[in-house]
Amino acid sequence: MFPFRIPVRDWISKGVDYLVSEYSALFDAFSSLVYFLVDHLKEGMLALPPLALMAIIVLITWKMAGWRVALFALFGLLLTENIGLWDALVETLSLVITAELLVMVVGLPLGIMAARRDRFDAFIRPVLDFMQTMPAFVYLIPAVMFFGLGLVPGVVATFVFALPPLIRLTNLGIRQVPAELIEAADAFGATNSQKLLKVQIPVAMPTIMAGVNQSIMLGLSMVVIAAMIGAGGLGEDVLRGIQRLQVGQGFEAGLVVVILAIILDRITAGFGNKSNQHS
Amino acid sequence: MDEIIRVKNLYKIFGDRPLKAIEALKKGESKNDILKRYKLVIGVQDVSFSIRRGETFVLMGLSGSGKSTLQRLINRLHQPTRGEILINGTDIVKLGQKELREFRRKTFCGMVFQNFAILPHRTVLENVEFGLELQGVEREVRENKARKMIRQVGLEGNENSYPSQLSGGMQQRVGLARSLAVDADILLMDEAFSALDPLIRRQMQDELIELQAKMKKTILFVTHDLDEAFRLGDRIAIMKDGQIVQIGTAEEIIAKPADDYVRAFVEDMDRTAVLTAGTIMQPVRETAFPADGPRTILRKIRRNGLSGILVADANRQLKGYIIADHLADYIRKHSEDKDLTLRKDLISQPTVVTSETPLNEVLKSYKDVQYGPVAVVDGRNRLQGVIVRGAVIAALSEGARTESNTNDADT
């Protein structure tokens, strides 16, 4: 139909190549920072006896989500240990936590900025659409080019995938703060930062926590995919199950992902409810 | 009384290029034409007035009349399009952002809102501390002040409750306490009691009047409720289409509505709550002196065609009331006695009100008394006038009639 082909793929390849060759020092520095975080987190958690870490997780679950979920967490984690997937679970957990920390560090300020400036909001909206709808596998390629194989590209791909919901919901939460509350803060002579810290963020907290919850859930689903670039953890066991057509092994690992997902979901939802209970 | 706020030729136009609307207004174009032609909404047009220190000034009008906009111009939550707002002599229209913030902190007790606008994630105590916290007041100091204010508004024991645990009336007390804790000169209240049900609203109005008697703030109160305006306001400004139609005390507005718009408003109102004994009383034609003999007194009564007479001394101090028939009986029985003196029990206690007593209370006292007029006295029990039944009935009939009757009473 066309006598020519628009070289989209060349542009992107060249762009990525350019970034890789010109900014490799920057990527290396970032890479070692992320590796440092994930690795220390993982080693720290593995250094504890499994039962001790389980107790901590169960306690947190009990605090945030009640004894029923805590009981579920206890049995789920014991099962994980019993079928030999404990180390994989810890690895996945540290990956998710690191990625989520990065998401919060980047997502909260961006969400706040989007809420305060309509032009920034208009700019970031399509970017977020792009990030969310682009098939997750596609992120793996540039992640590998920038950061090699292993934990770090896994964290980065997870970060990119899990970032949008937090930005969106932070933006939404702050925009939904009733106008009267903003007027009240102004009438009492609040500075912009007082308004943000004492009114907007606390009032938006339930919505922001919903964003954290959503991004953790997305992150967890990405972590499995990230195993394809050597991120390790539970995804690796799922992947091995696929490659060797071992249904049982694949489902075992999948089941542990579900257990972890439920625990993390209930804990973060619990946070949201706690900040919600007075409104 | 010195003035604290003076507003001069203030305009607020919403929309792009608002000055076009001011030109159009000056040419006499209507609000609707300007909206259609320029897509500009007129919030406030050419308003000038001043508020005295310590008075409760009410902005009254229907929704869309510009009353809330005008209030928000005064603490510059809205940016004025043109005009001056002098508060304690400072033109706040000219202040920069930072100066404005400082000015708000030291001049205004924040604001009290229709839907309370208290923070859901903070306890009552933390909410009341809010204004002081923004000013950087030390925790201990602000907590003490906040606790004191919570006591003032009758919320003690609820310091650690969250707003969601409180009723609407209690939430608005939190809003009020938060404002009063700041302890600045001017208290802005925007439809503060309109979201409350009528009984609670009444109660909050009474409490505000009580608090105001102690605090002596300058209150700028916005409401659409005329009864509320007349109850609370020392003076009331009635607004329509972004302009002030009339400013005056409740009685001035009732007695002499500036135009048909105000008259229509005032007609629906419970007149007896606003009109006072002072407006409908009539001068006393003749009084008896305590030293007068019975026959002298009777002659005074008959001469004026009365059924009785008030007794007052030379200083117009009210001493009592004598009923003509009783006096006549007494004289008949003692007709031979040339030096007949007045027997003490002939002087009865008349119904007494002050000139500030609202008419509805005068009416109540009428139920208990079968005869004689109601005596109107001042604070030192000096006789000012009398109210006769006919005048009360006249005052209750429609506005135009009241106006003429009040004039009669004055002459």
Side-chain angles (χ1 to χ4, degrees), chain B residues 281-298:
Chain B
M281 71 183 183
Q282 293 174 357
V284 184
R285 265 177 278 178
E286 187 140 28
T287 56
F289 292 103
D292 283 348
R295 293 191 177 88
T296 318
I297 295 173
L298 192 60

Side-chain angles (χ1 to χ4, degrees), chain B residues 38-71:
Chain B
Y38 307 107
K39 304 255 177 302
L40 292 170
V41 178
I42 291 159
V44 165
Q45 54 168 311
D46 201 14
V47 162
S48 302
F49 66 99
S50 61
I51 299 179
R52 299 170 197 140
R53 193 178 298 280
E55 82 173 329
T56 302
F57 191 91
V58 178
L59 289 173
M60 217 284 310
L62 300 177
S63 60
S65 62
K67 55 191 191 305
S68 287
T69 307
L70 180 53
Q71 187 177 47

Side-chain angles (χ1 to χ4, degrees), chain A residues 44-60:
Chain A
M45 288 199 283
L46 284 177
L48 290 172
L51 276 177
L53 184 55
M54 269 182 224
I56 293 171
I57 296 174
V58 169
L59 261 178
I60 295 174

